[in-house]
Amino acid sequence: MHFYEPREGHGLPHDPFNALVAPRPIGWVSSRGPDGRLNLAPYSFFNAFCYTPPIIGFSSTSRKDSARNIEAGGEFVWNLVTRALLEPMNQTSTTRRVDEFAVAGLTPEPSRVVGVPRVAESPVAMECRLSQVVELTAADGTPTDSVVCFGEVVGVHIAEHLLVDGVVDTALADPVLRGGGPTAYYTLGERLDLRRPG
């Protein structure tokens, strides 16, 4: 077993932490700045956290545009990254001050409940209102630069072709997931069905 204590370094060519929590769903987050400028950015630390009310969230390694916009405006939209949208998603990961929708050739579609647009080309989107911003700390209470933005889902868009007998078929969407290393992404593989014990 390779063992390391993170504070002392991992001794490997690339930090393995991201690869071990894998594959990770991508938080492709659209937001609007106080000046009206749209922002669209992918976050690989993203997931769902609560059923009732439905809450999703993502972590930003610093208060980047998305986090600042969401704190100021109180709204954001999560957009599903599919195989067909992999390259446009990658284009939106730029750190330059640009209109990521335009750079990636994507269409900002007005949302139904919030004032932030969704990615029209994405087959799934969740409109969210900010519920919490949590500043992460180390175990000893030392602050980090990272913040987690949690949002209550107030509107959900699902492409009709993903509904099979009223149930979402995850594989039909062909979602892309983030792996470890600087370039690794994955799509879904084998489906396994298990029923929970009574």
Side-chain angles (χ1 to χ4, degrees), residues 8-143:
E8 303 198 7
H10 48 74
L12 299 170
H14 189 79
D15 190 337
F17 177 71
N18 292 1
L20 300 174
V21 182
R24 301 184 313 279
I26 301 169
W28 202 17
V29 176
S30 50
S31 63
R32 185 188 302 278
D35 60 359
R37 181 194 299 261
L38 296 179
N39 183 263
L40 179 62
Y43 291 86
S44 67
F45 286 1
F46 162 84
N47 223 308
F49 295 94
C50 187
Y51 266 126
T52 308
I55 292 175
I56 61 176
F58 71 96
S59 176
S60 179
T61 54
S62 64
R63 276 192 161 83
K64 297 179 183 176
D65 287 345
S66 299
R68 287 195 306 270
N69 290 349
I70 292 165
E71 284 185 285
E75 299 177 333
F76 66 95
V77 178
W78 169 75
N79 306 274
L80 179 68
V81 177
T82 64
R83 179 67 184 87
L85 293 171
L86 179 60
E87 186 50 41
M89 179 279 298
N90 191 47
Q91 293 299 314
T92 67
S93 66
T94 180
T95 56
R96 293 178 291 128
R97 297 279 298 172
V98 296
D99 179 343
E100 290 88 359
F101 278 94
V103 166
L106 297 166
T107 309
E109 181 75 17
S111 291
R112 300 276 293 274
V113 181
V114 303
V116 175
R118 62 187 176 88
V119 175
E121 292 79 4
S122 177
V124 178
M126 295 186 188
E127 302 180 23
C128 299
R129 288 204 177 104
L130 178 65
S131 60
Q132 285 177 275
V133 175
V134 177
E135 298 181 352
L136 298 180
T137 66
D140 65 2
T142 304

Side-chain angles (χ1 to χ4, degrees), residues 191-197:
R191 172 176 166 165
L192 305 171
D193 286 282
L194 295 173
R195 293 200 181 277
R196 294 180 184 175

